[in-house]
Amino acid sequence: MNGWNRAFWLSALVAGMAGNATAAGTEAQTPAAPATAAIHYATAPTQPATPPAGALHALRVVSKEPVLDPGAKVWAQTQSVAVTLQPQNVTEPQNNQPAVTAMTVRSVHNGQWLSLLLEWEDPTQSDRVVVDRFGDQVAVELPVRYRADAAVNPMMGAPGERVNIIQWRAAFQADLARKRDMTIRDLYPYAQSDLYPDQVLNTLDMRAYMGAGGVDNPVAKHRDSPVLDQVAEGFGTLTVKQHQEADGNGVWKDGAWHVVIAVPLAPDSANSPRLEPGGQTVAAFAVWEGGGKEVGARKSWSDWLPVALAK
C-alpha cells in the first residue's frame, strides 16, 4: 500500500488517545450509553412563547447559504450575549481552573440554517494534535426535544434527555485550510523511521496497528467540515452521528477565536432538534483551551441559554 500516509498513522493513534468521541456504529442514531429508557424523539415543535430576558435572539437574514463567515458584516447587526463558563468539576477528570471562563454569542438564521458566532479570548492558537499537545475546541449543545417547562440536563443530557452536540475543532480547521493531510515532517520535523507496518503487512492485518483509524473512529478520518455532529445522553455516551448535517468555520485573530457553528432548522436526523422561525430553544456551550492541556472532560461549560428565532 504505497499510498499509505504515515502522518495519518500518527494522527490516528493520537485521535484514539483523546477519546472523547465514540466511533459510530452501523447506524449511529443511538448514543453509546446503555439504553435505560425508550424515548421517542419525534419532531417536537418549538414553543411559541415570549422569550425570557437575556435570551439570545437569532436575527433573520436573507441568504441562500448558511452564514459561516465569522467576519460577515451581518454579525454587526446582531446583539451579543455574554456567557459565563464554569469549571467542569462533576465527573473525572475534573478541570477546576479552566483557562476560558467567558465567551460571547451572536446568532442569525436564514429560515433554513441557524448560525451561532462564538468568540472567546485565547492567546495561543492550538491547532495541532500530537502526543501531549491538544487543540482548541468549542461546542454547542442543543436539546433534541425542547420543552420550556422541562429543561434537560445541560451536562451532555441524561438517559431519556438526548442532546445534539456540535463540536468545532481547531485541528480540523487547520487540516481544511492546508488542503492536504499532514505529513510526518509537519508533526515531527526530526523524526526518523526504519519500517512501517504497511510495508510488510496486508491491509487487513495492518489495521491492528492503525490505532483509532483501524477501528474506523470518525475522529481519525479526513473530514470536509471542521465540526463533529454528535448525540449524547449523559457522560461517556458521546457518539458521532453517521449522517453529518452541521457545519462550521473558525478563525483565530488578535488573540481570540471567532467560530461559527451552523445547524439546519429542518434536519434529516431524528437526533437533531427541529427548529422554526419564531420558535424557541435553548443552547449550552463548552470550550477547551488546548494550550492549557484541556481535552475531553477537562473543559469549561455553560448552563442553558434561551434562544429565540426571529420570524
Side-chain angles (χ1 to χ4, degrees):
M1 186 174 180
N2 297 329
W4 169 250
N5 188 312
R6 287 163 176 76
F8 172 73
W9 176 279
L10 178 61
S11 64
L13 290 171
V14 173
M17 294 174 191
N20 60 342
T22 305
T26 54
E27 177 50 62
Q29 300 300 314
T30 302
T36 56
I39 303 295
H40 296 285
Y41 293 97
T43 56
T46 53
Q47 306 297 309
T50 302
L56 175 66
H57 291 262
L59 176 70
R60 182 154 188 165
V61 298
V62 178
S63 174
K64 293 182 179 179
E65 303 295 331
V67 178
L68 294 176
D69 181 5
K73 295 181 179 178
V74 67
W75 296 115
Q77 303 174 31
T78 64
Q79 182 175 5
S80 69
V81 174
V83 174
T84 299
L85 299 168
Q86 51 195 313
Q88 190 296 106
N89 53 13
V90 176
T91 188
E92 298 292 345
Q94 299 184 7
N95 188 29
N96 292 313
Q97 294 182 322
V100 183
T101 58
M103 67 187 303
T104 61
V105 185
R106 300 174 183 266
S107 183
V108 299
H109 79 87
N110 65 354
Q112 296 181 315
W113 288 80
L114 173 68
S115 300
L116 299 105
L117 172 62
L118 317 172
E119 298 176 292
W120 71 98
E121 295 183 358
D122 185 344
T124 58
Q125 182 181 11
S126 304
D127 57 5
R128 302 174 70 183
V129 180
V130 294
V131 175
D132 202 31
R133 289 180 61 182
F134 305 104
D136 297 325
Q137 305 172 56
V138 68
V140 173
E141 176 185 34
L142 301 166
V144 173
R145 181 185 176 94
Y146 168 67
R147 287 183 55 185
D149 59 347
V152 305
N153 189 333
M155 301 200 73
M156 300 182 66
E161 298 179 355
R162 189 167 300 183
V163 294
N164 183 195
I165 297 176
I166 306 99
Q167 185 182 46
W168 171 92
R169 298 191 177 196
F172 290 165
Q173 191 76 61
D175 288 342
L176 293 173
R178 192 180 304 106
K179 297 181 179 179
R180 65 172 176 81
D181 293 335
M182 294 191 79
T183 68
I184 191 65
R185 296 299 178 193
D186 291 326
L187 299 170
Y188 297 100
Y190 304 108
Q192 297 293 333
S193 62
D194 296 323
L195 186 67
Y196 274 81
D198 63 293
Q199 296 173 300
V200 294
L201 299 175
N202 61 40
T203 302
L204 181 61
D205 293 337
M206 188 176 63
R207 293 177 69 86
Y209 300 90
M210 292 173 59
V215 293
D216 293 329
N217 188 324
V219 177
K221 295 181 177 179
H222 177 77
R223 304 188 58 77
D224 296 325
S225 171
V227 306
L228 283 171
D229 197 353
Q230 304 162 109
V231 62
E233 284 193 0
F235 293 128
T237 69
L238 193 61
T239 302
V240 177
K241 293 161 60 177
Q242 192 172 43
H243 180 41
Q244 299 281 289
E245 296 185 90
D247 203 353
N249 183 36
V251 296
W252 186 88
K253 183 180 180 181
D254 298 332
W257 277 110
H258 311 269
V259 176
V260 175
I261 290 179
V263 296
L265 300 191
D268 295 332
S269 171
N271 284 312
S272 299
R274 296 189 68 83
L275 308 170
E276 61 186 10
Q280 296 182 38
T281 185
V282 292
F285 310 93
V287 173
W288 294 259
E289 211 286 80
K293 296 189 181 303
E294 293 182 353
V295 68
R298 296 194 295 272
K299 61 185 178 183
S300 54
W301 66 283
S302 81
D303 207 338
W304 292 119
L305 174 68
V307 180
L309 285 70
K311 291 185 177 178

